[in-house]
């Protein structure tokens, strides 16, 4: 146990008194008288306690890795473009029947014999000759109509990085503590002191 400075001084004074008493007894036993007698005095060393600050842990630099952060993003993605589908419609035909002239009206000279056997000549009118002729006619021409099919989309999710990986530098200061240490205040000594009887 470390004693305080005052306690050390008290012990030193007590020891000094004891030495003086023992020296006096020794001087009387040896027959020393008067001013010719000296006593050997032993002064013990005196110790004290001081507070001392010391480093428990030096300063440190730590590096901490913060991982990257990601988020999920939803995108509309076209999986099929818009397109046009042609629809062909054929031409429409009908059969038309028309009356056509085969031969125009004419006159011809015709010679015949009458009932008495006489030769008779006269003009005979030959009417026009008509017939019917059928033909196909185009009622409506061929056409192409286009049907527009819109594009097809779907949703897809993907991960995107919103913050890159970071390295954070953290400095931890040094740690200090205080402890008590015993130090020598004054060393012990010996000297002769004149005895007083």
């Amino acid at each position: 146990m470390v004693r305080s400075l005052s306690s050390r001084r008290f012990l030193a004074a007590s020891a000094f008194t004891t030495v003086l008493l023992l020296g006096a007894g020794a001087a009387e036993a040896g027959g020393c008288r008067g001013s010719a007698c000296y006593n050997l005095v032993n002064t013990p060393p005196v110790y004290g306690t001081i507070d001392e600050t010391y480093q428990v842990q030096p300063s440190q630099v730590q590096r901490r890795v913060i991982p990257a952060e990601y988020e999920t993003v939803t995108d509309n993605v076209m999986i099929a473009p818009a397109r046009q589908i042609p629809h062909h419609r054929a031409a429409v035909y009908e059969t038309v029947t028309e009356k056509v002239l085969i031969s125009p009206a004419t006159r011809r000279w015709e010679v015949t014999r009458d009932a008495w056997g006489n030769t008779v000549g006269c003009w005979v009118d030959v009417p026009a000759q008509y017939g019917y002729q059928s033909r196909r006619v185009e009622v409506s021409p061929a056409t192409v109509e286009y049907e527009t099919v819109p594009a097809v989309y779907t949703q897809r999710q993907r991960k995107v990085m919103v913050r890159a990986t970071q390295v954070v530098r953290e400095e931890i200061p040094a740690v200090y503590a205080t402890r008590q240490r015993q130090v020598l205040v004054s060393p012990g000594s010996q000297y002769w002191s004149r005895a007083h009887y």
Side-chain angles (χ1 to χ4, degrees):
M1 179 182 294
V2 178
R3 296 184 176 88
S4 63
L5 188 58
S6 59
S7 298
R8 294 293 184 181
R9 290 177 178 172
F10 174 75
L11 292 176
S14 299
F16 177 72
T17 305
T18 304
V19 171
L20 287 179
L21 292 177
L22 289 176
E28 291 181 357
C32 184
R33 295 289 187 273
S35 61
C37 292
Y38 288 84
N39 292 324
L40 181 61
V41 179
N42 290 314
T43 302
V46 178
Y47 293 90
T49 302
I50 62 172
D51 292 335
E52 184 179 53
T53 301
Y54 66 98
Q55 189 182 70
V56 178
Q57 180 178 321
S59 60
Q60 298 178 357
V61 175
Q62 291 184 350
R63 289 174 173 82
R64 181 167 54 93
V65 178
I66 301 177
E69 289 187 5
Y70 294 86
E71 287 184 357
T72 301
V73 177
T74 302
D75 296 329
N76 286 329
V77 180
M78 184 174 64
I79 57 176
R83 58 195 176 95
Q84 290 186 330
I85 301 176
H87 296 283
H88 296 274
R89 285 184 170 83
V92 178
Y93 293 91
E94 289 183 357
T95 301
V96 178
T97 301
E98 296 176 329
K99 185 178 181 181
V100 295
L101 178 65
I102 298 175
S103 61
T106 59
R107 295 181 69 185
R108 71 171 181 271
W109 178 259
E110 190 174 290
V111 178
T112 61
R113 290 181 183 273
D114 61 9
W116 295 277
N118 298 318
T119 303
V120 179
C122 64
W123 290 99
V124 177
D125 291 326
V126 179
Q129 297 292 321
Y130 292 91
Y132 291 93
Q133 182 180 13
S134 297
R135 61 184 179 90
R136 294 186 68 189
V137 294
E138 186 180 59
V139 177
S140 61
T143 58
V144 179
E145 295 182 356
Y146 292 91
E147 176 188 0
T148 301
V149 179
V152 180
Y153 292 87
T154 187
Q155 288 187 338
R156 290 180 182 173
Q157 292 183 336
R158 59 188 177 92
K159 293 180 69 176
V160 295
M161 185 172 63
V162 295
R163 189 183 69 186
T165 303
Q166 297 179 349
V167 179
V168 178
R169 184 178 181 271
E170 296 179 349
E171 186 172 350
I172 302 175
V175 179
Y176 294 90
T178 302
R179 62 186 173 188
Q180 292 184 334
R181 183 167 63 90
Q182 192 178 46
V183 295
L184 180 66
V185 177
S186 63
S189 63
Q190 287 184 342
Y191 62 92
W192 293 96
S193 177
R194 187 182 295 275
H196 300 283
Y197 300 104

